[in-house]
Amino acid sequence: MSDNNKNRLRPIIITIATVLLSLLFCLLLLELTLKTGWFDDIDSPSPVWISNKFVKYDNEINRKNYEFAKSNPYGFTDRVRNMEKKYGMKRIAVLGDSFIWGYGLPYEQIWSHKLEKIVTEKYSNYEVMSWGLSAWTTADELSFLEKHGIKYDIDMLIVGFVSNDPDIGDVKMKPYTWQSNLAVKILKIIFPDAISFIVSYTNRFLTEHVYSDHQYDNWEKALYEEENLHSYMEVLQDFSRFCNSKNIDLLFVLTAADSNDIIIRKFNEIIPLLEQAHIKYLNLLPALEKNLGHINPRKLWANPANGHPGDLSTGVIAKEVFSYLETKGIFSSDDMLHTRNLTTHTFKNVETDDLINLVLTDNDWYMKKKAAIALAKMANSKVLDTLINALNNKDPDLREASVLALGEIKDSRTVVPLINALKDDSAYVRMRAVLELEKKDDPYITEALTKTAKDDKSPYVRRRALMALSRTNDTRTVESLIACLKDDFYSNRKTAIIALGKTHDQRAVTPLIALLKDEDRNIRIEIIEALGEIGTPRSVEALKAASLKDDDPYIRDLAANAIKKITGEEYGKYRRKLLRLWQKYL
């Protein structure tokens, strides 16, 4: 390079160096200023920026929780439970998301663990289990209950509802990604507080003045739009019918860290949906306001960096839930509220005609269920004829109640009417018919359910049929299940994957591998678990690729576990650790 060129470049280089040094100096000055704590805004209920020292504290709590959760087969922060329940014991499961997993909270401060302590100290014949994972929605919780939770023979299910639970996958969050580039990540390692401060305030400005549909708050707001709530209503209807069919007392507990106008408005939209789905609920906002309304909401956080319910809030939640259960007689020794223990003794003075009338016309579906169980023990030709004739009634609730009762009766003559009910005009009647057919043993049922899974116009009825097929392990359903992998409804694709895994059929491997790069995280998780269940060496290479190339560290580990399950050998352990470190810091 000539001297003239060097002379021309020198001032440019000096200018660039000066700008860079000035930028670094400003970042250093901002970093030092922020470390004084002057801008921590520790009393703000909605801080824009959170100091790195608080974030480190939060991360350490969660690290301990993650270590503990490794021993649980589902990743819960709960001790390992036997599937078989001890004689004389009652089981309550608390199902939820990060509120139950304990994000940002030590184990003993999680509200479901506090509830367990209160219950077991007073009632030694009760067991309280905590089933929760961060980011779970009501749909995810139902899926876990159907796939795994039902195996634990629970008597009651408490669902911890939180404000983002109406997410059914149709509303996509739009986060900002500019801060994820390599340069910003490197600067954040050197100046953690300064960079996070700049990023937080920049994103707040963009959301308020440029992109009104971005970030978490706007995403959650969209969950409460009419179209999404209508779809969520279908999830609740499905949840309610499943628990009712399996004799599980169901209670939704509406929880939050504190009570405020925004959360009150959201819960007021959810309560009518729960009532329409015949789901019992306990709204804890009044109790939180009464007991903690005088306290700064920030003080109710799990910790200064985590807005999940803290020790004060979880204490109120646990005590209120326990009080509700006692008031409702859940711990009563006469078992009147436990439908699984009902016998004809409960209705010993009730005539058959009165029982039929109770099943068909009572407004309480839990009472309908109790009466149906009792009626099944007294069933005769007259009862069967009455219930079958009721399937032609104009009232869909009455037709559904008839289906419920026919499902409880152990008589082969109930199968054909139930199969015919799969063609009912009401989706809820068809959904109930699927649930009741699961209890029957007839060669024609699988064929009828397969047709419903493929052709029913309601995606939720198709989903229910797919779940029923997943319990048959019948290889005759494989081709139909493979076709359902292309279902327009997300939950149905997920359920078809689960069902294919349980068939252990080699024909499912190729179509499952083809979906291993699906953009949806939960789909990829179910595919990997299904391939692990099928257990063929044909899937190992695809699983190896997923264990090293998937963007999600949990999925990479899951794929490695599936490989070990198939081959008995560990794969890529240290490379996955390096990838995790790379993602964390760069």
Side-chain angles (χ1 to χ4, degrees):
M1 183 181 294
S2 67
D3 289 340
N4 288 337
N5 288 335
K6 288 180 180 180
N7 290 335
R8 282 197 295 268
L9 285 173
R10 186 175 292 113
I12 297 173
I13 294 172
I14 292 172
T15 301
I16 293 172
T18 303
V19 170
L20 289 174
L21 288 172
S22 298
L23 175 62
L24 292 173
F25 177 76
C26 290
L27 287 172
L28 177 61
L29 187 62
L30 178 58
E31 183 75 16
L32 295 174
T33 302
L34 293 172
K35 287 192 181 299
T36 64
W38 294 343
F39 295 91
D40 284 356
D41 209 9
I42 192 63
D43 292 324
S44 172
S46 53
V48 178
W49 167 77
I50 294 176
S51 171
N52 190 55
K53 61 178 177 283
F54 298 140
V55 173
K56 283 184 175 180
Y57 177 69
D58 182 53
N59 289 342
E60 179 58 22
I61 292 173
N62 290 323
R63 185 193 66 77
K64 291 179 180 178
N65 284 343
Y66 279 118
E67 285 300 315
F68 179 77
K70 285 181 180 179
S71 63
N72 187 286
Y74 310 111
F76 301 153
T77 49
D78 192 27
R79 59 187 176 86
V80 178
R81 314 278 183 160
N82 292 323
M83 285 187 183
E84 186 176 350
K85 185 170 59 178
K86 290 182 180 178
Y87 178 77
M89 291 292 292
K90 301 288 185 183
R91 270 184 171 168
I92 298 174
V94 183
L95 181 59
D97 66 348
S98 51
F99 280 38
I100 304 302
W101 189 86
Y103 193 64
L105 272 180
Y107 178 95
E108 65 277 2
Q109 293 182 18
I110 300 169
W111 78 258
S112 56
H113 294 157
K114 287 183 175 181
L115 177 65
E116 179 181 18
K117 187 173 186 294
I118 297 170
V119 169
T120 55
E121 283 180 352
K122 190 168 182 178
Y123 300 100
S124 58
N125 63 322
Y126 272 80
E127 182 181 11
V128 180
M129 301 183 289
S130 294
W131 296 343
L133 284 182
S134 295
W136 263 5
T137 65
T138 302
D140 295 322
E141 291 152 13
L142 174 57
S143 181
F144 171 80
L145 176 65
E146 295 166 329
K147 186 178 178 183
H148 300 294
I150 196 67
K151 301 172 186 175
Y152 286 83
D153 192 24
I154 59 174
D155 299 278
M156 183 175 192
L157 180 69
I158 299 174
V159 177
F161 176 89
V162 299
S163 58
N164 60 9
D165 277 359
D167 175 25
I168 56 173
D170 291 342
V171 181
K172 303 299 182 184
M173 194 188 306
K174 297 179 180 178
Y176 297 114
T177 57
W178 65 270
Q179 68 267 28
S180 300
N181 71 70
L182 186 59
V184 175
K185 285 186 173 182
I186 292 173
L187 286 172
K188 191 173 182 180
I189 294 173
I190 305 169
F191 309 108
D193 278 324
I195 294 301
S196 64
F197 183 88
I198 292 168
V199 168
S200 297
Y201 275 92
T202 300
N203 287 346
R204 170 63 68 89
F205 175 84
L206 290 172
T207 302
E208 291 181 350
H209 302 287
V210 184
Y211 302 108
S212 60
D213 60 345
H214 278 53
Q215 298 294 78
Y216 179 88
D217 287 346
N218 289 317
W219 168 76
E220 186 173 299
K221 183 180 178 182
L223 297 181
Y224 286 81
E225 293 179 357
E226 184 178 352
E227 183 178 355
N228 192 72
L229 285 181
H230 176 75
S231 297
Y232 184 60
M233 174 65 180
E234 298 299 322
V235 175
L236 293 177
Q237 293 279 4
D238 196 12
F239 211 134
S240 174
R241 283 167 172 78
F242 179 78
C243 288
N244 186 251
S245 173
K246 303 302 179 184
N247 304 335
I248 299 171
D249 284 337
L250 175 63
L251 173 70
F252 266 56
V253 176
L254 281 59
T255 60
D258 65 279
S259 179
N260 58 68
D261 290 342
I262 295 174
I263 203 76
I264 288 172
R265 285 197 299 271
K266 289 176 178 176
F267 281 13
N268 284 343
E269 294 196 59
I270 294 300
I271 287 171
L273 304 185
L274 293 171
E275 292 173 345
Q276 290 177 53
H278 307 288
I279 295 175
K280 293 177 289 186
Y281 65 90
L282 173 62
N283 182 6
L284 290 177
L285 293 187
L288 289 168
E289 177 62 29
K290 177 182 177 181
N291 290 279
L292 306 173
H294 62 287
I295 300 175
N296 183 330
R298 185 75 178 274
K299 303 297 183 184
L300 303 178
W301 283 24
N303 62 66
N306 194 311
H308 284 70
D311 193 28
L312 291 174
S313 296
T314 59
V316 170
I317 293 170
K319 288 177 183 177
E320 290 293 323
V321 171
F322 177 73
S323 176
Y324 174 90
L325 297 179
E326 272 205 319
T327 301
K328 295 297 182 181
I330 296 300
F331 306 113
S332 174
S333 60
D334 62 12
D335 287 326
M336 281 296 292
L337 291 176
H338 294 287
T339 56
R340 64 175 62 246
N341 296 310
L342 283 169
T343 64
T344 51
H345 176 73
T346 306
F347 294 98
K348 62 181 180 180
N349 296 319
V350 181
E351 296 293 332
T352 302
D353 288 346
D354 293 330
L355 275 177
I356 293 173
N357 186 59
L358 193 61
V359 170
L360 298 180
T361 63
D362 197 275
N363 293 324
D364 185 340
W365 279 90
Y366 292 92
M367 183 56 67
K368 286 176 182 285
K369 181 68 176 181
K370 296 173 185 180
I373 292 172
L375 185 63
K377 299 178 184 297
M378 310 175 189
N380 52 39
S381 296
K382 179 185 174 183
V383 170
L384 279 174
D385 289 342
T386 303
L387 293 175
I388 291 171
N389 288 335
L391 292 175
N392 298 316
N393 194 282
K394 292 181 180 180
D395 183 354
D397 284 344
L398 193 145
R399 298 199 302 273
E400 183 181 349
S402 177
V403 170
L404 165 66
L406 288 169
E408 294 298 330
I409 298 172
K410 294 180 173 60
D411 190 312
S412 60
R413 289 174 292 174
T414 63
V415 173
V416 172
L418 288 174
I419 289 177
N420 290 337
L422 293 174
K423 302 174 184 176
D424 194 279
D425 291 338
S426 167
Y428 297 145
V429 173
R430 301 197 302 275
M431 190 183 295
R432 178 73 69 171
V434 173
L435 286 165
E436 301 309 325
L437 280 168
E438 283 189 64
K439 303 172 184 177
K440 307 295 181 178
D441 184 18
D442 189 283
Y444 294 105
I445 291 176
T446 298
E447 182 181 346
L449 291 177
T450 301
K451 181 173 175 56
T452 298
K454 287 176 59 181
D455 300 333
D456 196 280
K457 58 186 177 183
S458 167
Y460 295 93
V461 176
R462 296 200 302 273
R463 180 187 175 280
R464 182 51 54 206
L466 283 166
M467 283 306 306
L469 290 172
S470 74
R471 296 186 179 91
T472 66
N473 303 330
D474 192 329
T475 56
R476 291 178 298 164
T477 67
V478 171
E479 295 300 331
S480 296
L481 290 173
I482 289 173
C484 291
L485 293 176
K486 297 179 181 179
D487 195 296
D488 293 336
F489 191 48
Y490 153 77
S491 291
N492 291 351
R493 297 196 300 276
K494 180 179 173 181
T495 307
I497 293 165
I498 295 170
L500 283 169
K502 291 186 176 182
T503 65
H504 298 97
D505 195 291
Q506 301 286 318
R507 288 172 291 172
V509 173
T510 299
L512 288 175
I513 289 175
L515 292 175
L516 257 180
K517 294 183 179 179
D518 192 279
E519 64 179 19
D520 189 278
R521 177 180 187 267
N522 290 326
I523 292 290
R524 301 200 302 278
I525 288 173
E526 295 297 349
I527 288 171
I528 289 169
E529 290 187 350
L531 290 173
E533 280 197 62
I534 294 171
T536 176
R538 285 172 50 206
S539 61
V540 170
E541 288 305 313
L543 289 169
K544 284 182 177 179
S547 73
L548 295 177
K549 295 180 181 179
D550 197 282
D551 292 334
D552 191 309
Y554 175 79
I555 291 178
R556 294 199 296 267
D557 290 344
L558 195 67
N561 290 337
I563 293 169
K564 188 173 182 179
K565 186 175 181 179
I566 295 169
T567 67
E569 298 177 0
E570 191 81 50
Y571 179 78
K573 179 179 179 180
Y574 296 107
R575 278 185 283 179
R576 292 199 312 282
K577 284 186 175 181
L578 287 173
L579 281 169
R580 192 181 289 269
L581 289 171
W582 174 266
Q583 281 186 316
K584 182 176 181 180
Y585 295 108
L586 297 174

